[in-house]
């Protein structure tokens, strides 16, 4: 059974389009995240939601809008796609933090977005 | 200074070699430390947490030096299957809050037969 799943796995689209990436976790975790890994392989957090509420919003263009309909889902919608948005986007989830910062994050398989 | 810095490598080693990776972090308030492993075109996965007293998991040993803000990973008797990128990760969470993970750019290891 897949713990953290993302769809689609690959997304090729034209500049200016709007697209969404979906993420679901069946681990019962309260917190979910979106990360971006660029061509230089640098993995950086974009957003974090805890039980459907936004708790981390890094410096990300407002063309990116996360939506959490319930705590098992965190979708990422991107408006007006630009060439620089091409990257691999990873969703992740983590259980409640019992000891500060000690919880593991479980990553989805990634969505490879290519903007032409 | 970058928040988490690692030597990007690549480290090319023969099977059976011992290899060490180093990492430094800039935020002295950081509380938790990890090594993640990422295979080519795959997602990162937790390899091990790093504790102040140092910890070992089979062939892997992690060390933390808070005074120097330095983390290390030692791999003994390296296997072909150890070939991957090793990510140094720091969590700046305060107690009871979900902090974010800050990833280093990773150190690429290639183990050759």
């Amino acid at each position: 059974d897949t713990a953290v799943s993302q769809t689609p796995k690959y997304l090729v689209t034209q500049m200016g389009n709007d697209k969404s990436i979906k993420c679901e976790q069946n681990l019962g975790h309260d917190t979910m995240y979106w990360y971006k890994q660029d061509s230089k392989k640098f993995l950086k957090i974009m957003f974090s939601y805890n039980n459907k509420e936004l708790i981390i919003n890094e410096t990300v263009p407002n063309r990116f809008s996360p939506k959490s309909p319930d705590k098992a889902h965190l979708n990422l919608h991107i408006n007006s796609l630009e060439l620089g948005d091409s990257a691999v986007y990873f969703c992740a989830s983590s259980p409640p933090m019992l000891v500060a910062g000690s919880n593991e994050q479980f990553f989805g398989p990634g969505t490879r977005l290519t903007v032409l | 200074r970058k928040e988490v810095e690692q030597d990007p490598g690549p480290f090319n080693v023969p099977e059976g070699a011992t290899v060490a990776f180093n990492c430094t972090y800039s935020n002295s308030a950081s509380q938790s430390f990890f090594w993640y492993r990422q295979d080519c075109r795959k997602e990162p996965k937790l390899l091990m947490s790093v504790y102040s007293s140092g910890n070992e998991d089979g062939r892997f040993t992690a060390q933390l030096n808070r005074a120097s803000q330095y983390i290390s990973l030692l791999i003994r008797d390296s296997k072909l299957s150890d070939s991957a990128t090793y990510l140094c990760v720091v969590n700046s969470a305060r107690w009871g809050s979900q902090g974010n993970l800050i990833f280093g750019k990773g150190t690429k290891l290639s183990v050759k037969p």
Side-chain angles (χ1 to χ4, degrees), chain A residues 16-67:
Chain A
N17 284 350
D18 303 338
K19 290 293 178 185
S20 292
I21 307 172
K22 295 186 176 181
C23 178
E24 177 181 2
Q25 53 94 4
N26 62 7
L27 298 167
H29 291 165
D30 285 341
T31 307
M32 296 184 71
Y33 312 81
W34 276 109
Y35 289 86
K36 178 180 179 180
Q37 188 167 44
D38 60 26
S39 58
K40 295 180 180 176
K41 307 299 182 187
F42 189 40
L43 191 65
K44 191 166 184 183
I45 191 164
M46 300 173 70
F47 301 101
S48 172
Y49 269 70
N50 187 45
N51 207 7
K52 301 195 299 174
E53 287 189 23
L54 180 68
I55 55 170
I56 292 174
N57 183 354
E58 289 295 311
T59 306
V60 175
N62 57 15
R63 298 182 294 105
F64 290 78
S65 52
K67 286 189 170 49

Side-chain angles (χ1 to χ4, degrees), chain A residues 31 37 97 100-101 105 108, chain B residues 31-32 34 36 38 43 97 101:
Chain A
T31 307
Q37 188 167 44
M97 189 179 295
Q105 289 190 13
Chain B
Q31 297 188 346
S32 299
F34 311 89
Y36 275 68
Q38 186 172 22
E43 70 273 21
S97 67
L101 291 186

Side-chain angles (χ1 to χ4, degrees), chain A residues 79-99:
Chain A
N79 289 327
S80 303
L81 278 156
E82 299 178 357
L83 294 176
D85 297 333
S86 295
V88 182
Y89 292 83
F90 286 101
C91 177
S93 72
S94 63
M97 189 179 295
L98 300 178
V99 177

Side-chain angles (χ1 to χ4, degrees), chain B residues 36-108:
Chain B
Y36 275 68
R37 170 190 168 135
Q38 186 172 22
D39 291 292
C40 188
R41 302 179 79 86
K42 297 285 189 181
E43 70 273 21
K45 291 183 179 177
L46 180 67
L47 177 67
M48 58 197 302
S49 299
V50 187
Y51 303 119
S52 296
S53 54
N55 48 300
E56 190 174 306
D57 182 2
R59 298 180 293 107
F60 298 84
T61 301
Q63 298 275 357
L64 169 65
N65 184 324
R66 284 187 186 269
S68 302
Q69 294 178 211
Y70 171 95
I71 307 161
S72 66
L73 177 68
L74 183 76
I75 306 175
R76 289 181 299 278
D77 188 24
S78 51
K79 313 289 185 192
L80 296 176
S81 57
D82 293 334
S83 297
T85 296
Y86 290 83
L87 305 168
C88 178
V89 185
V90 173
N91 184 326
S92 298
R94 296 187 305 279
W95 182 272
S97 67
Q98 290 282 1
N100 54 313
L101 291 186
I102 303 166
F103 285 77
K105 285 196 174 185
T107 298
K108 188 171 181 180

